[in-house]
Amino acid sequence: MASIIIHQEKIKNPGDVLKVCPFGAIQYENGVLSISAACKMCKLCVKNGPVGAFELVEQPLVQIDKDAWRGIAVYVEHTHGEIHPVTFELIGKARELAAKIAHPVYAVFVGYQITSKAEELRHYGVDRIYVYDQPELEVFRAEPYAAAMEDFITALRPSTVLVGGTTVGRSLAPRVAAHFRTGLTADCTKLDMQPNTDLDQIRPAFGGNIMAHIRTRNHRPQFATVRYKIFSAPPRLQQPRGEIQVMYLDPERLRSGVRVLSIESKPVVENIENAEVIVAVGRGLRKEQDLELIRALAERLGGQIASTRPLIEAGWVDPRRQIGLSGRTVSPKLLITCGISGSVQFTAGMGAANFVVAINNDPQAHIFKVAHLGLVGDLYEIIPALLQQLGSGQPSQVQEHLKTVKSEVIG
Amino acid sequence: MNIIVCIKQVPGTSDVKIDEKTGSLIRDGMDAKMNPYDLYALETALQIGQETEAHVTVLSMGPPQVKEIIQEAFLMGDVDGVILTDRRLAGADCLATSYAISQCIQKIGLPDLIICGKQTTDGDTAQVGAEIAEFLHIPHITNVLKIEEMNANGMIVEADLPGMLQRSEIRFPALITVEKDIYQPRLPSFTRKKRLAGQPMQVFSVQDLADHDENHYGLNGSPTQVMRIFPPETDTTSEVWEGSSQDLAEKLFCALQERKFI
Ligand SMILES: Cc1cc2nc3c(=O)[nH]c(=O)nc-3n(C[C@H](O)[C@H](O)[C@H](O)COP(=O)(O)OP(=O)(O)OC[C@H]3O[C@@H](n4cnc5c(N)ncnc54)[C@H](O)[C@@H]3O)c2cc1C
Ligand code: SF4
């Protein structure tokens, strides 16, 4: 049993040590210090408290045999056999990780009438593709899909399983991880491999202002989910490689309490995730109508608009256009942020942008630390001036609007 | 019909920073609140309760202070409250959390329906719901946008999949996680406050669970381990310009042109 033990005698001012714990887990009652259930085992009290006052006691654990688990498996996310691009990104990463420990890379493809589609995966350099192609697996349902994954894991004993952080992946991966009672780290933004096959997983924690480095040290397989567009897909190989192996599961094991009645595709909306140019706006915008200014710039640059969460909450912008931790991850070639402070929740979603320009009137704004090019100034002056530079392409309506905006700013 | 809603207490602010020198966390204000996504889960249960006279229980695991959010739930509707609190639960990752909650649900009695929020604002992993379902061997559907129909045996829901909307029938007992906006959460009622001031809630600890081996809970029961926490990296290649707006616009124009965006 690992726990924190307090050596009361080494603490001179009990009242002062309460502050050491960021989670308020250290309590002082009736002259006695104790630790409550709020403790997150972050060990900061051990590190930052009075010397020797807080001690972490751990019992040595029985080590599992990590050599019994080989290979890095990627779950193939798809809709009716159309492979989601996050899959290729994960395969690229899996190859990189596997090369460090000389493990094979597997892809697991679960669905119905998909075996022919598996051919495409051979162009991305996996060693073997395991296909579960049965009518019960025609559409995604957590239990049957989890059963297929369980079957694969039991048969192949992969050391690591990577799953795309989509709604499907986030429903499937936990179910399978819980089945094997093993660790799952969600939404990793960086992955690396230790020689002992421990996966180094980095993800935003505590709402995103802090990064956590996580390992699954004594359980296999180790699961990680990664969102779309965090990693880049490897180039498609001319020469396909890797074999396809078709698996079969007793339909008894594919039973489910869920029956799908219908599936329809969502109405297509412009998708900021695929946009090459994005003009994003934040609370620096004073009112909804001023969005015209942002739209004009986006239009002129052939891009789309996006925003921070407060504008979504205000109902000014469609929620699908939110960039960030609780929004979308974007990877445009150009991202211009206007009146955005650069909270970590926001920047968590823009990590993959190639070139970031920030316009903000506060020289201290955090966005300047993450932008490639920062302009300290008023968006209500800079954007109209830029639009003027960009020339005649703008509709006259916007011109009119700019005039009113300008006069309001001055007035 | 019985429903259990799993709710979590989260920090009232996400303004957690890291002190670059000491590596410690700095948190402004320690106030805590109900995870906003769980309000939708609770509202969903209350809506079903109104239609079917279902009995609703809210369950929260955490430090003793979680009673505050149970009280908040009391102000929203007629619900029973259960808390699971124990120092041995400290340091739990998703797996250990889901396991403890699934044990507590079995202690209360498996309901027809378990409803969870879509995710939390502090952990933000969105995986506890599906793990609870696995531990309880019941079906689950995540990201439910709409409940279309229900009867004593199950219900028909619409759920969000990548690029798709899926309408399915799910048989009870089952677990769902609901999307924001499935229903608009009601505000706490202050007339209820007077009436409910002292409404009791059940408090359980690890000792009360069928499996009370402490190695299955908290840090010990957590396969994942946080090795280190650190501030997010910032790209050092940044350049910041000041000057008149006209100048800045001109320079930006040139920079965009140089990079062939114009
Ligand atoms: C769990 C959680 C998840 C979250 N997820 C997200 C997310 O996914 N995406 C997201 O965006 N937020 C998210 N947030 C919210 C986030 O913490 C911030 O509140 C938000 O990003 C701030 O938005 P902002 O930059 O628009 O506003 P502010 O922080 O208010 O910044 C406005 C900026 O505009 C500048 N400004 C004002 N006027 C002008 C002007 N005339 N010209 C130029 N600059 C001007 C100001 O100096 C300021 O820097 C999340 C929060 C939590 C708790
Ligand atoms: S380990 Fe972290 S959370 Fe636990 S008491 Fe120490 S400082 Fe607080």
Side-chain angles (χ1 to χ4, degrees):
Chain A
M1 162 82 184
S3 60
I4 305 277
I5 291 188
I6 308 182
H7 298 284
Q8 315 256 353
E9 68 284 358
K10 300 204 172 140
I11 298 173
K12 292 204 189 67
N13 301 310
D16 286 353
V17 301
L18 303 187
K19 288 199 293 283
V20 171
C21 175
F23 302 98
I26 305 176
Q27 293 172 329
Y28 185 54
E29 269 166 26
N30 308 325
V32 183
L33 281 163
S34 64
I35 292 177
S36 80
C39 172
K40 296 257 188 290
M41 287 288 178
C42 72
K43 292 172 265 186
L44 285 175
C45 53
V46 179
K47 203 166 135 205
N48 298 332
V51 180
F54 294 87
E55 188 191 350
L56 177 77
V57 284
E58 261 178 308
Q59 252 164 32
L61 21 98
V62 187
Q63 286 291 333
I64 58 152
D65 176 13
K66 291 178 184 169
D67 293 337
W69 299 84
R70 269 184 66 78
I72 300 182
V74 173
Y75 170 76
V76 179
E77 166 98 43
H78 69 98
T79 313
H80 301 313
E82 292 310 317
I83 298 168
H84 191 293
V86 71
T87 309
F88 303 124
E89 298 170 0
L90 292 182
I91 290 174
K93 185 47 103 177
R95 278 168 53 189
E96 215 176 276
L97 298 171
K100 296 193 176 174
I101 48 174
H103 275 208
V105 174
Y106 306 133
V108 199
F109 200 4
V110 183
Y112 184 46
Q113 297 180 328
I114 52 167
T115 307
S116 58
K117 306 271 170 80
E119 197 49 39
E120 180 61 16
L121 292 164
R122 299 183 63 231
H123 288 277
Y124 289 87
V126 288
D127 295 296
R128 231 168 305 147
I129 301 155
Y130 293 87
V131 182
Y132 289 83
D133 191 341
Q134 295 179 228
E136 295 82 356
L137 299 167
E138 184 173 3
V139 287
F140 175 74
R141 290 175 300 166
E143 300 157 276
Y145 271 56
M149 287 299 281
E150 282 156 28
D151 183 72
F152 162 78
I153 290 167
T154 310
L156 271 298
R157 297 174 68 82
S159 174
T160 295
V161 181
L162 304 181
V163 181
T166 62
T167 36
V168 163
R170 284 161 155 244
S171 178
L172 176 66
R175 185 117 206 170
V176 186
H179 179 85
F180 290 98
R181 298 211 167 201
T182 186
L184 162 57
T185 307
D187 290 339
C188 298
T189 52
K190 255 189 203 152
L191 295 173
D192 204 350
M193 188 56 81
Q194 289 291 313
N196 72 353
T197 75
D198 279 1
L199 184 65
D200 286 311
Q201 305 160 108
I202 311 268
R203 78 174 301 257
F206 305 119
N209 288 328
I210 286 165
M211 306 304 285
H213 172 193
I214 295 167
R215 272 189 205 151
T216 301
R217 292 206 299 180
N218 204 33
H219 291 76
R220 290 293 182 273
Q222 37 197 345
F223 280 81
T225 64
V226 180
R227 289 218 213 164
Y228 179 33
K229 298 231 168 177
I230 294 287
F231 300 135
S232 18
R236 190 174 184 278
L237 305 173
Q238 280 307 320
Q239 272 302 314
R241 52 170 283 229
E243 359 163 347
I244 297 176
Q245 188 164 336
V246 180
M247 310 288 276
Y248 178 77
L249 208 54
D250 183 351
E252 248 331 273
R253 288 180 58 195
L254 296 174
R255 290 218 273 185
S256 167
V258 175
R259 195 163 61 96
V260 175
L261 305 172
S262 66
I263 293 189
E264 55 184 281
S265 42
K266 270 185 275 196
V268 197
V269 283
E270 278 185 318
N271 187 341
I272 59 166
E273 279 145 306
N274 297 326
E276 303 239 304
V277 173
I278 296 177
V279 183
V281 63
R283 264 212 305 234
L285 200 73
R286 298 201 190 97
K287 53 188 196 320
E288 191 174 358
Q289 294 90 298
D290 300 351
L291 276 171
E292 285 312 317
L293 188 61
I294 308 302
R295 282 208 187 93
L297 180 58
E299 212 168 276
R300 196 61 193 81
L301 295 170
Q304 298 197 22
I305 66 157
S307 86
T308 61
R309 196 157 87 170
L311 301 205
I312 306 290
E313 282 166 354
W316 293 2
V317 178
D318 185 305
R320 284 170 293 218
R321 295 187 180 275
Q322 180 188 328
I323 296 178
L325 190 69
S326 53
R328 312 278 162 130
T329 307
V330 296
S331 55
K333 297 206 166 77
L334 170 66
L335 172 66
I336 303 184
T337 73
C338 314
I340 289 178
S341 61
S343 73
V344 186
Q345 288 90 342
F346 173 80
T347 57
M350 55 165 254
N354 278 354
F355 186 61
V356 181
V357 177
I359 304 174
N360 193 307
N361 59 11
D362 171 12
Q364 304 300 325
H366 181 258
I367 191 76
F368 290 132
K369 297 214 179 103
V370 291
H372 301 97
L373 178 57
L375 307 185
V376 181
D378 189 337
L379 73 93
Y380 284 94
E381 292 175 13
I382 295 177
I383 298 181
L386 180 62
L387 281 170
Q388 221 150 42
Q389 293 265 334
L390 286 166
S392 55
Q394 39 183 316
S396 57
Q397 190 191 342
V398 174
Q399 292 269 23
E400 280 308 305
H401 182 74
L402 294 186
K403 274 186 217 142
T404 52
V405 168
K406 268 195 162 163
S407 58
E408 274 169 32
V409 171
I410 295 159
Chain B
M1 168 158 187
N2 287 308
I3 303 176
I4 292 180
V5 185
C6 302
I7 62 176
K8 184 183 183 187
Q9 194 172 35
V10 296
T13 161
S14 66
D15 273 344
V16 195
K17 294 207 179 65
I18 210 161
D19 183 322
E20 308 240 358
K21 284 191 209 85
T22 66
S24 61
L25 296 174
I26 308 164
R27 209 174 251 205
D28 308 330
M30 281 302 302
D31 49 332
K33 61 175 187 191
M34 192 189 309
N35 171 38
Y37 293 99
D38 296 344
L39 290 169
Y40 299 95
L42 178 54
E43 182 63 36
T44 305
L46 295 175
Q47 295 276 350
I48 298 173
Q50 276 163 8
E51 299 226 337
T52 66
E53 294 182 1
H55 179 259
V56 180
T57 303
V58 291
L59 162 64
S60 187
M61 166 179 143
Q65 296 90 293
V66 297
K67 67 172 188 294
E68 292 161 13
I69 60 165
I70 301 279
Q71 269 149 1
E72 200 180 322
F74 287 165
L75 296 184
M76 284 175 66
D78 287 321
V79 299
D80 279 346
V82 174
I83 66 180
L84 175 63
T85 179
D86 196 314
R87 210 197 127 183
R88 284 168 289 192
L89 299 169
D93 70 358
C94 283
L95 189 87
T97 302
S98 329
Y99 184 65
I101 293 174
S102 69
Q103 282 284 315
C104 192
I105 288 173
Q106 278 167 320
K107 169 80 187 172
I108 309 167
L110 187 64
D112 301 285
L113 179 62
I114 299 167
I115 309 179
C116 296
K118 172 191 168 184
Q119 65 192 59
T120 57
T121 54
D122 60 345
D124 203 19
T125 63
Q127 53 195 32
V128 167
E131 293 201 334
I132 295 173
E134 174 66 24
F135 282 126
L136 295 172
H137 306 293
I138 59 174
H140 84 262
I141 296 183
T142 60
N143 305 84
V144 169
L145 295 161
K146 193 154 91 192
I147 296 176
E148 287 189 1
E149 257 178 71
M150 70 184 287
N151 60 35
N153 303 318
M155 59 191 196
I156 296 178
V157 300
E158 186 179 276
D160 192 22
L161 291 190
M164 301 275 167
L165 296 176
Q166 184 167 305
R167 248 181 96 236
S168 12
E169 185 180 86
I170 186 165
R171 169 171 49 73
F172 293 149
L175 181 146
I176 59 170
T177 76
V178 297
E179 281 284 339
K180 194 167 164 294
D181 296 338
I182 179 167
Y183 295 107
Q184 190 54 39
R186 65 197 67 191
L187 295 169
S189 141
F190 289 94
T191 47
R192 297 183 66 87
K193 191 164 191 167
K194 289 190 201 105
R195 205 146 44 89
L196 295 171
Q199 182 175 346
M201 57 187 87
Q202 269 182 296
V203 181
F204 293 122
S205 74
V206 167
Q207 222 49 46
D208 301 311
L209 305 177
D211 172 6
H212 48 254
D213 180 343
E214 58 188 28
N215 284 313
H216 296 157
Y217 299 99
L219 188 67
N220 298 297
S222 298
T224 62
Q225 210 174 341
V226 177
M227 309 302 292
R228 189 166 73 93
I229 51 177
F230 56 96
E233 287 160 30
T234 47
D235 195 343
T236 44
T237 63
S238 67
E239 214 179 307
V240 178
W241 295 342
E242 295 183 36
S244 81
S245 296
Q246 202 58 45
D247 281 357
L248 289 174
E250 248 160 65
K251 283 164 109 174
L252 175 56
F253 181 81
C254 295
L256 294 179
Q257 213 163 29
E258 215 172 278
R259 288 175 178 77
K260 303 200 172 56
F261 291 117
I262 304 169

